């Protein structure tokens, strides 16, 4: 099965996706990381070069390559505005397409900053001083990308609801009746008692 996690930036796709893949025994991919490798670039350089349409088509090329060469996987999908770049590759019934969402306030708390080399740095003072504007932008992104994701035909929407990534991954497994490492773990633990 191919599980694709969609959602706005900082909703938790990468963190939840990595944990989910580990629990299921699936391969994990982050589209941003794969774009960096494929085009030998930084995300900062990638997003600041060319037109958005061209970048989304390039993301589609990388996504196609990942899903074509892998079976059981979890893929954290970068927000893609021009859905045509990926839509034709992810319409198969063996894809589970889930939009992760949360409140704008919870997403705001997860915001991180990176420099031109994609290194994370702390800018809490800036973040807090621009709280209202950032939350307003998050709300716009939720509305904009939510409409785009509907056009793909999501298998469902999943509310992170401020949970930890671990708890969210566990709830995804339960709510979508996924099989994998967690279910084996439960059987193994019941044998001990």
């Amino acid at each position: 099965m191919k599980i694709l996690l969609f959602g706005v930036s900082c909703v938790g796709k990468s963190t939840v996706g990595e944990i989910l893949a580990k629990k299921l025994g699936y391969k994990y991919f982050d589209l941003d990381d794969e774009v960096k490798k494929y085009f030998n670039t930084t995300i900062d350089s990638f997003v600041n070069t060319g037109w958005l349409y061209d970048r989304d088509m390039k993301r589609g090329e990388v996504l196609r390559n990942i899903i074509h060469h892998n079976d059981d996987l979890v893929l954290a999908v970068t927000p893609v505005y021009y859905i045509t770049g990926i839509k034709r590759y992810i319409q198969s019934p063996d894809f589970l397409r889930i939009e992760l969402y949360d409140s704008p306030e919870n997403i705001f708390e997860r915001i991180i900053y990176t420099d031109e080399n994609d290194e994370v740095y702390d800018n809490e003072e800036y973040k807090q001083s621009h709280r209202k504007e950032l939350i307003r932008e998050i709300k716009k992104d939720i509305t904009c990308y939510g409409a785009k994701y509907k056009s793909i035909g999501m298998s469902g929407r999943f509310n992170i609801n401020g949970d930890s990534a671990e708890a969210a991954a566990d709830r995804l497994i339960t709510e979508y009746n996924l099989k994998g490492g967690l279910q084996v773990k439960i059987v193994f633990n019941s044998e001990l008692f």
Side-chain angles (χ1 to χ4, degrees), residues 5 8 66 76 83 92 136 142 172:
L5 301 179
V8 299
I66 294 167
I83 295 298
S92 173
R136 190 170 37 249
I142 290 170
L172 274 166

Side-chain angles (χ1 to χ4, degrees), residues 31 59-67 75 77 86 89-90:
L31 189 55
R59 288 180 176 117
E61 179 183 337
V62 174
L63 181 137
R64 179 182 48 88
N65 189 46
I66 294 167
I67 61 178
L75 173 62
V77 181
I86 65 168
Y89 306 124
I90 61 170

